[in-house]
Amino acid sequence: MRLLSLPPKLRLAPFWPALAAVATATVLLWSLLPSLLQRTAAVQLFDMLDLLAPIARDRLADPKTNLESWAEQLGADSGVRITLIRRDGVVLADSSVEPEHVRDMQNHRNRPEVRAAFASGRGTNVRKSATTGNTYVYVARTLSGPGGDVMILRLAEPLEQLDALKTRLAAAMGLAILAAGIAILFTSLWLDRRLFEPVSRLIGGAQDLARGRVSRVAVPDEEELAALALALNRLAATSEQQLDAISRERDNLQEILASMSEGVLVVDRDGRAQMINPAFYQLFDLVGDFTGRPALEIIRHPGFARLIEDTLRKRQTQSSQIVLPSPERRTLLLTSAVLSGGERGAVVAARDTTELTRVADMRRDFVANVSHELKTPLAAIRGYAETLRDGALDEPPTARRFTERILSQCRRLQELLDDLLILSRLEGMDAALDREPVDLDAVARRAVELLTPAAREKRVEIELQEEEVPAVQGDAGNLERLLLNLLDNAIKYNRPDGRITVRVGRDGGEALLEVSDTGIGIPAESIPRIFERFYRVDKGRAREEGGTGLGLAIVKHIAQAHGGQVDVESRMGRGATFRVRLPLAG
Ligand code: ADP
């Protein structure tokens, strides 16, 4: 039933106890009613007894009176049983007994009401009559009979009448209770619909709000409840807006953190991970969910532990660089900051600086190498110049020799600076390179032509093998420089009566430039480093040959700037073959 399904506390609490009280009172009254009715009946009977007493006295005084028929008549008129008893207990007359049977009646001396009347003038009793078999209320009083003899006049009223009254009363009371119950039930239903149901809906809405679930409640008709419902709905709307704003902010934050290349870890005051972004997982090669775990257990690195501990203890921003040895050596820059002055823990940002560190190292090495390369010729020039100043000028042959050497060192310096300039231009111009169709055959012919005198001087022969090659898209000047550098090396590191073969051809979809020589070759361990700046296999020989150590670095740069690549094949003493592959135009 709908009524029962509602919260019991809201049932019409004061009504039901009231109904129970009424019912209790009814039961109480019901149990007290018999004695009450009997007492009332006794009082009425006594009144009637007192009225009849003088009449009975007169009748008794008159010897002609037939006591039996008088009693019978009076009983019929009054509706009560009338008994006249002599002092010795013999019944003289009884209205409910036939006159001829009166003499057979028991002696009534010991009847309680009779005994009481003899003792105190009046007596009453309720019991089943041995004579008639009915239950009666008896009242009796003394009466002075003829000759001053004391007699007893007794009235009795059967209790059936009282029982009927009692039944009617009970029916009325039951009906009243039933009516009250039904009234309460209907009032309850009505109140339920008007009050309790809306109230329970309001309570439900408020509980939803408390649990963080936003819902709207129906607005009841009742004015006060309607105001409460509207206030609740307004509160729900505000909460909804705030929740929306919070979840939007959280989503934004998540997206920002997820898209960051920097790893981010947020720890609480105890150093437990609260939030870890994907980049952090990646940087530290973490698999699984580490939220809630102590940060020092997640990353077991002394530098990382120190950073976290210092940040939380000193409540200050910290920064440090750590090196992770595996799976591949990486350098990470860690920066930490405290949240709410350290109250809410700290945030650590990790950035992979391996590449930056490598570039910085390269730059440092490069500067050191350049300085070193410049130092040697400058020291030589200075030495020759000082020797000249200190007297060698006066010795013309020595002076000429020294001047020649100064000039040669200056040329060396010039070449070095030229190569450096070319390299630095190439580094910044991958995109800005001139792009035009270049005929590689023509480039090769010109390069061979340019270097033939130098080759002849070294007794080295150059052979050019040309195939029909479509043009490549590129910068003719730089491609010529590439070929000149390779040819220059092939001459420099050749042996007397050696050969150089320059081949221009195709290899699949690419143009191929090949320069092979019969020179000293390159040791296997040097091959991977041969294209590095300033790398030389044999420093003495290279210097002697006037190399800068930048020639092959320039070759590699030019090939790459054209979308191509260069490789080398060589064995010690068996010459070397350099191959440059370039994409064909179109
Ligand atoms: P360098 O100016 O010293 O020649 P490069 O960059 O052109 O500098 O060459 C780097 C080093 O590679 C040289 O010092 C040399 O040892 C070696 N090398 C280059 N080309 C050849 C070659 N054709 N045969 C043997 N070694 C070579």
Side-chain angles (χ1 to χ4, degrees):
M1 197 171 147
R2 181 87 186 91
L3 189 74
L4 295 176
S5 70
L6 284 161
K9 277 190 184 159
L10 287 183
R11 297 302 103 229
L12 293 170
F15 286 83
W16 295 115
L19 188 66
V22 170
T24 314
T26 306
V27 171
L28 221 62
L29 196 64
W30 175 254
S31 57
L32 290 176
L33 198 63
S35 61
L36 203 71
L37 285 175
Q38 283 162 18
R39 207 164 300 151
T40 315
V43 169
Q44 281 175 357
L45 283 176
F46 270 125
D47 287 348
M48 198 188 276
L49 193 62
D50 290 342
L51 279 174
L52 289 176
I55 304 169
R57 212 179 292 124
D58 292 350
R59 291 290 166 193
L60 281 170
D62 183 355
K64 288 197 288 264
T65 306
N66 180 340
L67 284 175
E68 278 102 345
S69 50
W70 170 74
E72 197 177 359
Q73 185 61 47
L74 204 60
D77 291 349
S78 63
V80 296
R81 179 180 164 195
I82 297 168
T83 316
L84 200 61
I85 304 158
R86 224 169 49 195
R87 188 182 175 80
D88 56 0
V90 173
V91 179
L92 299 177
D94 193 310
S95 62
S96 59
V97 179
E98 296 299 319
E100 58 272 24
H101 292 129
V102 168
R103 222 148 287 144
D104 305 334
M105 283 173 72
Q106 282 179 359
N107 187 293
H108 272 46
R109 195 177 44 220
N110 283 328
R111 297 288 191 271
E113 68 281 2
V114 176
R115 273 226 314 269
F118 278 128
S120 63
R122 284 170 176 274
T124 180
N125 188 229
V126 177
R127 71 168 184 286
K128 205 171 195 170
S129 154
T131 316
T132 65
N134 295 325
T135 306
Y136 290 90
V137 180
Y138 295 96
V139 296
R141 62 163 287 177
T142 48
L143 202 67
S144 43
D149 202 9
V150 177
M151 304 189 85
I152 295 289
L153 179 63
R154 187 182 78 169
L155 299 186
E157 189 175 9
L159 270 182
E160 279 87 69
Q161 289 169 26
L162 293 182
D163 284 347
L165 187 67
K166 221 168 83 181
T167 312
R168 277 207 309 281
L169 201 70
M173 278 176 162
L175 223 63
I177 289 172
L178 193 71
I182 290 171
I184 289 175
L185 200 70
F186 278 102
T187 317
S188 173
L189 280 173
W190 179 80
L191 276 177
D192 191 57
R193 235 189 30 245
R194 291 281 298 177
L195 207 65
F196 297 148
E197 217 173 78
V199 165
S200 78
R201 276 203 301 269
L202 290 181
I203 290 171
Q207 279 170 341
D208 278 355
L209 263 181
R211 285 192 210 105
R213 232 181 22 226
V214 178
S215 62
R216 297 288 190 281
V217 291
V219 178
D221 300 335
E222 214 62 43
E223 201 179 325
E224 288 80 3
L225 290 183
L228 184 59
L230 288 173
L232 264 181
N233 285 346
R234 266 201 302 279
L235 188 65
T238 318
S239 306
E240 206 166 41
Q241 281 168 3
Q242 280 168 351
L243 283 175
D244 275 358
I246 289 169
S247 70
R248 250 200 322 276
E249 232 165 76
R250 195 196 49 210
D251 290 351
N252 281 347
L253 187 68
Q254 292 288 354
E255 265 174 45
I256 291 169
L257 286 171
S259 63
M260 275 173 76
S261 60
E262 280 195 338
V264 177
L265 163 75
V266 178
V267 294
D268 64 12
R269 273 165 58 178
D270 304 323
R272 284 180 184 278
Q274 296 296 296
M275 207 276 312
I276 309 172
N277 79 338
F280 194 90
Y281 276 98
Q282 225 166 22
L283 278 178
F284 288 93
D285 284 303
L286 301 174
V287 182
D289 185 7
F290 292 88
T291 318
R293 296 257 301 270
L296 306 188
E297 265 177 34
I298 304 172
I299 313 293
R300 295 178 187 275
H301 189 288
F304 180 84
R306 210 173 310 121
L307 179 100
I308 294 266
E309 281 166 1
D310 284 357
T311 311
L312 292 173
R313 189 166 44 84
K314 297 180 186 164
R315 299 192 165 194
Q316 265 176 15
T317 296
Q318 306 284 320
S319 174
S320 73
Q321 186 151 302
I322 63 169
V323 175
L324 297 181
S326 62
E328 59 192 34
R329 198 182 152 81
R330 271 175 306 152
T331 311
L332 299 183
L333 176 68
L334 304 178
T335 317
S336 68
V338 286
L339 298 172
S340 305
E343 285 306 311
R344 289 196 294 119
V347 58
V348 181
R351 188 147 52 99
D352 191 340
T353 53
T354 313
E355 187 57 23
L356 277 177
T357 313
R358 198 182 64 81
V359 171
D361 287 352
M362 260 174 61
R363 199 154 283 161
R364 205 177 43 241
D365 288 353
F366 181 69
V367 171
N369 281 333
V370 170
S371 314
H372 184 75
E373 294 292 328
L374 291 173
K375 220 157 66 188
T376 320
L378 276 175
I381 290 169
R382 187 176 170 181
Y384 293 133
E386 278 171 357
T387 316
L388 283 173
R389 183 196 63 195
D390 296 344
L393 268 178
D394 302 331
E395 299 166 34
T398 314
R400 194 172 302 120
R401 212 174 61 236
F402 279 17
T403 315
E404 279 302 327
R405 288 189 185 161
I406 287 175
L407 278 173
S408 143
Q409 291 299 335
C410 283
R411 267 196 301 275
R412 227 171 102 71
L413 276 175
Q414 184 71 53
E415 279 168 18
L416 185 67
L417 289 174
D418 284 348
D419 277 359
L420 280 172
L421 216 61
I422 291 166
L423 256 183
S424 91
R425 273 201 210 117
L426 281 170
E427 273 184 345
M429 72 185 288
D430 287 6
L433 205 70
D434 274 349
R435 302 265 173 197
E436 53 189 11
V438 178
D439 177 4
L440 283 181
D441 285 321
V443 169
R445 270 197 300 274
R446 207 164 43 247
V448 169
E449 218 175 273
L450 271 172
L451 288 186
T452 300
R456 207 166 286 149
E457 210 174 284
K458 289 253 186 170
R459 292 185 14 226
V460 171
E461 202 184 308
I462 306 178
E463 188 195 344
L464 177 62
Q465 295 179 355
E466 295 171 86
E467 273 175 37
E468 195 64 32
V469 190
V472 297
Q473 195 79 18
D475 182 310
N478 274 313
L479 288 172
E480 189 179 306
R481 179 173 308 282
L482 176 150
L483 204 52
L484 282 174
N485 282 5
L486 289 177
L487 268 175
D488 186 44
N489 282 349
I491 296 168
K492 279 194 300 195
Y493 305 107
N494 220 313
R495 49 187 172 74
D497 301 319
R499 287 180 66 81
I500 298 172
T501 310
V502 178
R503 221 160 64 79
V504 182
R506 268 181 88 143
D507 187 15
E510 294 178 310
L512 179 73
L513 269 177
E514 192 179 280
V515 178
S516 59
D517 63 65
T518 53
I520 56 169
I522 306 161
E525 68 273 13
S526 294
I527 286 181
R529 302 193 56 192
I530 206 96
F531 295 99
E532 283 176 20
R533 294 161 188 192
F534 299 118
Y535 182 81
R536 297 175 182 102
V537 175
D538 178 348
K539 287 200 167 47
R541 173 156 184 167
R543 291 235 169 76
E544 234 168 69
E545 297 291 350
T548 60
L550 295 172
L552 287 181
I554 292 171
V555 167
K556 189 177 112 183
H557 254 94
I558 295 174
Q560 286 177 344
H562 282 82
Q565 64 190 57
V566 57
D567 58 52
V568 61
E569 202 182 298
S570 176
R571 271 168 64 193
M572 277 302 278
R574 292 285 184 87
T577 302
F578 286 86
R579 289 191 192 88
V580 178
R581 284 166 227 274
L582 299 168
L584 292 170

